[in-house]
Amino acid sequence: MQIKKGIAVSPGIVIARALLLDATEYPIPMRQITPESAGAETAKLEKAFADSISELETIISHLRKRIAKEAIPIIEAHIKIIRDHYLKSQMLDHIKKDAYTAEYAVSRTLRKYIKALTSNQTDSFWGSRVNDIYDIEKRIIRNLVQDKIAGISKLKEPVIIVSQDLTPTETASLDKNKIKGVTTDKGGRTSHTAIIARALGIPAVVALNNITLDIASGDLLIVDGNSGIVVIDPDKETIKKYSALGKNFDFYERKLLSEIRNLPTKTKDGREIMLCANIELPEETSTVIQYGADGVGLFRTEWLYSDSYILPSEKEHFEIYKRVASALKGRKLTIRTLDIGGDKLAATDGEAPIEKNPFLGCRAIRLSLQNTGVFELQLRGILRASHYGNVNVMFPMIATIDEIRQAKNILERVKNGLRKKRVPFNEDVKIGIMIEIPSSAIMADALIKEVDFCSIGTNDLIQYTMAVDRTNEKVAYLYQPSHPSVLRLIKYVIDQGKKHNKPVSMCGEMAGDWIYTPLLLGMGLKEFSVSPIVIPEIKKIIRSITLDEARKISENVFTMESAVEIDKYLRDCVKNIAPQLS
Ligand code: PEP
Ligand code: MG
């Protein structure tokens, strides 16, 4: 039995067998094979070719059903390249004559091809083909080495995924019925993989260092997403202990939910608080309602862009937002415009240059303002959906007042277009910004005048204030939501909201971590937007404290100088307020 400790990012306790996935970016060592295995290696290559072609044909048939068909020739070109006799004969030669593995043969051949293409720098047509070749290389190699990944969709037994890391798209495609838990070498509490695991209700522990080296597929595992513990090959006693803990946890969750679901979100002294949910996918709307949320405070829309070769059309945007807005039946729906970049890569990124510091690069509103066509499509979809529900629009990663003005101008242009065509939309759609960069928190007094509301995105605000990559487990100890500098920024934003009579909410993960609930209430926060599954806990705390008690806690915290001290104090407070949760 081996016990590993990582970061608990999605609650729940599960026991199941491991399914080990190789890294997405598979490293290809120059390994050689024995002459006898050349036949098997060739057969492997043929199969990977056939699998790749069949995947691409499936993509084409999906694309045919969609409105935009511009991407079909690109995919057809990929198939042509895979079928190219010359390239294939070179790969086969590498296997037979040089005794290379199939993976290395593919990589060597295609990299040589890329070199030839890029040597002609002035020819932009061939330059742009390079990304296609990388894409093809990745696909064939994945098919060579990652049969297991393809197998995820065909699983019969429930499993716990063990992986170096999962991309947000991979996480989003996990089937909750089969995937019981997730463990990864990398990641942090606010990496998007963690956020989606939470949204899907799959217990997860990340930042386990080299857990992929300690586990083989089929090993029995316990994942405790409450404490961050993973047990490999547990003994009978441990299995018994964790089964009981898991049952208790599930029972308590269900009981708390049924007790609290229909009760109002009010402090003990009757102050109303708005408790909304964050969603990633339209399918989560039913969970939002089931957990009794007051609405959706953050609808992340990146996933619309991440699983296709083509950008979503205006119709697709409109239909998805309309579906969610209608299902919410008048509850508010805050749709955040595209926030691709950072750790949220999209298929469309294949065409974007690779950035050295993606979190500081062309992300979110920056990308939208540089690609106004893409931005306008989304805005039109949002505006049209506003006719069918209580829809707000929110811009992410605002750093300057000029960005807000530019975004508003574009929104106005889109509105004009719709007016001209007599397409109905809500003329009074509310405009908000995310405060997630220190510059915008410090300038909140000015920025807030430009908009109807703002929402504090602590996931990024902490990352940028503390200069700590939110996905890097090596510096996770510095990722401190309660660092006094972060708290001062948050307080300033809340105060500016009050002064200018504009609603301020918080939609970063800090809002859903209940040790901070009393503090945030005391700081004056009136609106929380959290992962749906933690709504019962957050509501429980809100209902168990008066505003005066919360203010006292906040005053005490503001006399402290270290996050460690503050967290310890807040844990003790929660222990007193809601002993069941601590
Ligand atoms: C945030 O930064 O707090 C946030 C809610 O946005 P995201 O996690 O999508 O970057
Ligand atoms: Mg953010």
Side-chain angles (χ1 to χ4, degrees):
M1 183 166 95
Q2 198 184 342
I3 297 175
K4 299 207 63 142
K5 176 91 176 81
I7 302 176
V9 295
S10 180
I13 295 168
V14 282
I15 305 176
R17 303 244 161 231
L19 176 69
L20 180 66
L21 302 183
D22 294 303
T24 323
E25 301 294 333
Y26 187 74
I28 305 149
M30 199 196 98
R31 262 192 292 122
Q32 296 213 288
I33 52 169
T34 57
E36 305 82 66
S37 34
E41 212 62 13
T42 307
K44 236 173 86 180
L45 183 66
E46 296 282 3
K47 181 171 179 309
F49 270 42
D51 289 347
S52 303
I53 290 173
S54 133
E55 280 174 12
L56 291 166
E57 283 170 345
T58 311
I59 294 175
I60 291 179
S61 70
H62 284 314
L63 289 175
R64 284 200 206 289
K65 289 183 211 138
R66 300 175 72 158
I67 311 105
K69 296 192 169 55
E70 298 86 335
I72 293 178
I74 301 172
I75 313 293
E76 284 171 344
H78 283 207
I79 295 181
K80 234 185 206 157
I81 293 172
I82 298 178
R83 286 201 172 122
D84 186 285
H85 289 301
Y86 177 67
L87 284 179
K88 191 166 164 188
S89 70
Q90 283 197 326
M91 291 175 197
L92 291 176
D93 274 359
H94 278 319
I95 295 175
K96 287 176 195 154
K97 294 188 187 153
D98 305 323
Y100 289 147
T101 58
E103 297 91 288
Y104 191 68
V106 169
S107 181
R108 194 177 164 97
T109 308
L110 292 180
R111 293 295 163 118
K112 219 165 101 192
Y113 189 40
I114 288 169
K115 230 182 198 163
L117 292 179
T118 47
S119 62
N120 187 1
Q121 293 284 347
T122 52
D123 188 332
S124 65
F125 174 76
W126 286 113
S128 68
R129 295 275 71 80
V130 167
N131 280 328
D132 289 312
I133 310 295
Y134 277 125
D135 209 353
I136 291 167
E137 179 194 30
K138 218 166 138 185
R139 182 177 301 281
I140 300 175
I141 289 183
R142 178 172 47 73
N143 276 313
L144 274 170
V145 300
Q146 293 201 10
D147 272 357
K148 287 176 230 152
I149 279 194
I152 291 185
S153 56
K154 298 171 204 135
L155 288 173
K156 291 201 181 75
E157 298 288 315
V159 291
I160 291 168
I161 297 284
V162 180
S163 169
Q164 286 194 354
D165 202 1
L166 289 172
T167 66
T169 350
E170 281 164 343
T171 318
S173 59
L174 296 179
D175 176 353
K176 194 172 178 289
N177 296 319
K178 309 265 172 43
I179 312 289
K180 293 295 170 200
V182 169
T183 63
T184 61
D185 289 346
K186 301 189 169 125
R189 194 176 151 71
T190 58
S191 60
H192 287 90
T193 302
I195 291 172
I196 298 177
R198 239 180 342 267
L200 296 174
I202 300 175
V205 179
V206 302
L208 285 151
N209 281 321
N210 286 330
I211 192 162
T212 46
L213 300 181
D214 296 325
I215 289 177
S217 285
D219 284 351
L220 191 65
L221 294 188
I222 297 173
V223 172
D224 180 347
N226 302 335
S227 66
I229 297 281
V230 175
V231 189
I232 307 167
D233 287 330
D235 59 25
K236 275 194 188 137
E237 268 310 293
T238 313
I239 295 178
K240 211 166 133 196
K241 176 180 142 196
Y242 276 95
S243 309
L245 278 175
K247 275 189 197 128
N248 257 349
F249 179 76
D250 292 347
F251 173 75
Y252 177 71
E253 285 284 290
R254 274 197 299 272
K255 186 163 162 278
L256 180 62
L257 176 61
S258 68
E259 273 171 13
I260 218 161
R261 186 186 178 284
N262 295 317
L263 298 178
T265 314
K266 278 185 183 167
T267 57
K268 220 168 152 185
D269 52 337
R271 298 297 178 90
E272 274 186 24
I273 301 293
M274 183 108 168
L275 185 51
C276 292
N278 295 344
I279 61 168
E280 325 291 319
L281 308 164
E283 292 73 31
E284 285 175 79
T285 317
S286 53
T287 320
V288 171
I289 295 166
Q290 185 201 339
Y291 277 80
D294 294 320
V296 169
L298 169 65
F299 182 11
R300 290 185 171 91
T301 57
E302 293 70 76
W303 323 109
L304 267 165
Y305 296 80
S306 58
D307 68 349
S308 84
Y309 273 81
I310 49 170
L311 294 167
S313 63
E314 176 188 326
K315 186 163 180 273
E316 280 167 307
H317 281 295
F318 165 60
E319 281 174 355
I320 286 171
Y321 305 150
K322 178 183 164 193
R323 176 147 60 95
V324 178
S326 314
L328 286 173
K329 297 198 167 58
R331 294 177 186 89
K332 89 165 176 184
L333 168 62
T334 300
I335 304 176
R336 180 179 75 182
T337 60
L338 162 69
D339 182 6
I340 287 178
D343 66 336
K344 289 173 282 192
L345 299 174
T348 44
D349 278 1
E351 280 149 36
I354 292 168
E355 297 184 315
K356 279 202 181 142
N357 291 302
F359 276 120
L360 303 182
C362 190
R363 193 191 149 183
I365 194 71
R366 303 168 184 187
L367 194 82
S368 294
L369 294 177
Q370 288 180 33
N371 295 275
T372 47
V374 176
F375 192 33
E376 285 179 17
L377 273 188
Q378 180 170 34
L379 292 177
R380 259 200 300 278
I382 295 174
L383 283 172
R384 285 175 60 194
S386 71
H387 183 62
Y388 299 88
N390 183 0
V391 173
N392 305 322
V393 60
M394 180 160 74
F395 304 125
M397 288 278 298
I398 292 292
T400 69
I401 203 160
D402 312 290
E403 286 171 334
I404 306 177
R405 290 178 180 155
Q406 278 181 53
K408 276 172 39 182
N409 280 343
I410 295 171
L411 186 71
E412 200 44 46
R413 195 158 75 212
V414 172
K415 280 185 178 177
N416 275 335
L418 292 176
R419 282 184 197 115
K420 267 193 201 131
K421 289 189 178 159
R422 298 186 180 284
V423 178
F425 66 93
N426 176 10
E427 286 281 353
D428 195 28
V429 83
K430 299 278 180 283
I431 303 171
I433 50 167
M434 289 195 64
I435 302 275
E436 43 189 350
I437 299 182
S439 67
S440 64
I442 293 165
M443 292 298 291
D445 54 333
L447 303 195
I448 211 158
K449 290 187 212 147
E450 291 282 327
V451 289
D452 300 306
F453 68 94
C454 64
S455 187
I456 306 172
T458 49
N459 304 343
D460 281 312
L461 186 61
I462 298 162
Q463 150 164 278
Y464 297 128
T465 307
M466 301 295 295
V468 56
D469 179 341
R470 63 195 261 187
T471 65
N472 185 339
E473 69 284 358
K474 290 205 179 73
V475 287
Y477 68 98
L478 278 173
Y479 192 89
Q480 300 178 340
S482 54
H483 189 275
S485 61
V486 176
L487 296 183
R488 286 182 200 184
L489 290 175
I490 294 173
K491 178 84 173 89
Y492 184 69
V493 178
I494 296 173
D495 288 348
Q496 291 312 309
K498 203 189 267 170
K499 185 168 161 199
H500 296 276
N501 204 15
K502 301 269 172 86
V504 170
S505 78
M506 179 181 285
C507 60
E509 296 304 303
M510 185 179 182
D513 188 341
W514 57 80
I515 79 158
Y516 300 120
T517 315
L519 168 65
L520 294 171
L521 281 172
M523 286 165 74
L525 191 73
K526 297 214 178 68
E527 186 176 331
F528 295 65
S529 192
V530 304
S531 175
I533 55 165
V534 298
I535 284 181
E537 282 84 359
I538 302 292
K539 200 192 251 189
K540 172 101 190 153
I541 300 219
I542 293 173
R543 291 179 53 85
S544 311
I545 190 169
T546 66
L547 220 46
D548 277 347
E549 286 164 345
R551 281 195 196 114
K552 186 79 205 122
I553 289 173
S554 163
E555 272 166 28
N556 289 342
V557 163
F558 271 79
T559 64
M560 299 177 191
E561 288 168 353
S562 115
V564 177
E565 187 189 0
I566 294 172
D567 283 0
K568 185 178 172 312
Y569 169 67
L570 291 176
R571 266 196 200 98
D572 288 343
C573 292
V574 169
K575 228 180 238 170
N576 287 331
I577 299 162
Q580 313 88 317
L581 297 183
S582 48

